[in-house]
Amino acid sequence: MAKTELKNQIRRLRFDHEEMTQQELANRAGVTRQTIIAIEGGKYAPSLMLAFRIARVFSLRVEEVFEYEGPSASKQNQSEST
Amino acid sequence: MRPEQKRAWFILGICAVALLGFVVFIIVFKRIRAAPFAICALWVLEPLLFRRKSIAEKVSSDERDQMIAEKAVLFAGAASYVTFILACIIPWIVLYASGAEKLIHVDALGTIIMAGGFAFFVAKSITTLVLYGRERRDGQD
């Protein structure tokens, strides 16, 4: 799988939360550890539901955990109109 | 290694043995026989051999596993289709385009059908291994 345009703070957040292991986060989010590894490495873009579940584990909002790095919608609209 | 990867390696191993047997039959007996593919019956052991053992891992599969499985089946279906079409066309091209007046042995029919199924499982296993294999370089705890 190619690198996604979704940047995340999961690694930092895990360490901020008493050095939570990938397995612990996986169990709490209801996924496998390999999926957490893939998300952390930016190899897999989680579904909206999974993104919410991960954010909830850290008691944060989704946008505080994940950040979209692709072109913004307004920029895309501008380039389409020209 | 995930159970899905172990299953894929197991299927690829069986397919390799079956293919080897098929080639040996052609070389030694000079005949095309689908008999070596009977070894594929060992697949029934698959659910018994690869069960989840880790207690720490509460979830056995998730959305990503499902996505990989869907992609693998899609790719395997395409590979199977192409293989079946080629297996149907190639004998006719070889025999008739060259101007030879030969008949295709009835045993070839079973082999052609088997080739489609065989390609499905090989392509599914390879796709599964490739999609899971991409994560190997990532950092782990």
Side-chain angles (χ1 to χ4, degrees):
Chain A
M1 273 162 269
K3 280 257 180 191
T4 64
E5 292 174 327
L6 207 60
K7 198 177 161 188
N8 70 76
Q9 305 293 326
I10 294 176
R11 188 179 288 269
R12 184 182 59 77
L13 288 167
R14 279 197 302 111
F15 282 93
D16 289 350
H17 285 74
E18 296 166 356
E19 297 194 0
M20 185 189 287
T21 63
Q22 289 171 330
Q23 185 63 65
E24 207 179 328
L25 175 60
N27 288 344
R28 291 174 71 175
V31 291
T32 61
R33 190 171 64 94
Q34 283 76 13
T35 298
I36 296 296
I37 294 166
I39 295 169
E40 259 190 24
K43 298 274 172 76
Y44 175 65
S47 68
L48 199 54
M49 292 300 287
L50 177 54
F52 274 109
R53 286 209 301 271
I54 291 171
R56 190 166 284 182
V57 170
F58 298 119
S59 306
L60 293 169
R61 289 178 300 155
V62 177
E63 57 266 38
E64 288 174 294
V65 182
F66 296 98
E67 190 187 336
Y68 178 62
E69 283 188 318
S72 67
S74 57
K75 272 184 185 175
Q76 254 183 338
N77 288 342
Q78 273 181 347
S79 63
E80 278 170 12
S81 60
T82 52
Chain B
M1 194 184 277
R2 293 201 46 74
E4 289 84 356
Q5 287 170 286
K6 288 178 187 170
R7 277 190 208 114
W9 279 118
F10 179 69
I11 290 171
L12 273 183
I14 288 175
C15 287
V17 173
L19 202 64
L20 193 72
F22 183 71
V23 171
V24 166
F25 258 78
I26 291 174
I27 293 170
V28 177
F29 302 109
K30 311 275 183 207
R31 290 192 74 174
I32 294 173
R33 290 278 185 194
F37 290 104
I39 199 169
C40 295
L42 283 174
W43 285 343
V44 295
L45 297 174
E46 189 200 293
L48 300 170
L49 290 172
F50 308 108
R51 280 185 288 189
R52 189 165 59 95
K53 287 173 187 167
S54 171
I55 299 163
E57 206 170 300
K58 284 181 183 170
V59 183
S60 57
S61 69
D62 57 24
E63 61 176 44
R64 186 166 164 271
D65 296 311
Q66 202 180 341
M67 185 207 71
I68 288 174
E70 280 169 12
K71 275 188 179 176
V73 168
L74 198 72
F75 189 76
S80 172
Y81 180 75
V82 170
T83 307
F84 183 72
I85 298 294
L86 288 177
C88 287
I89 293 170
I90 287 171
W92 272 264
I93 292 174
V94 171
L95 290 178
Y96 293 102
S98 61
E101 289 287 328
K102 284 182 182 176
L103 293 172
I104 294 169
H105 198 274
V106 72
D107 286 348
L109 181 64
T111 311
I112 288 169
I113 294 168
M114 204 79 85
F118 193 76
F120 180 89
F121 288 105
V122 170
K124 186 173 178 284
S125 301
I126 290 172
T127 311
T128 303
L129 288 173
V130 166
L131 291 176
Y132 276 113
R134 298 265 170 94
E135 77 192 19
R136 211 176 292 164
R137 286 165 300 207
D138 295 344
Q140 295 180 23
D141 280 335

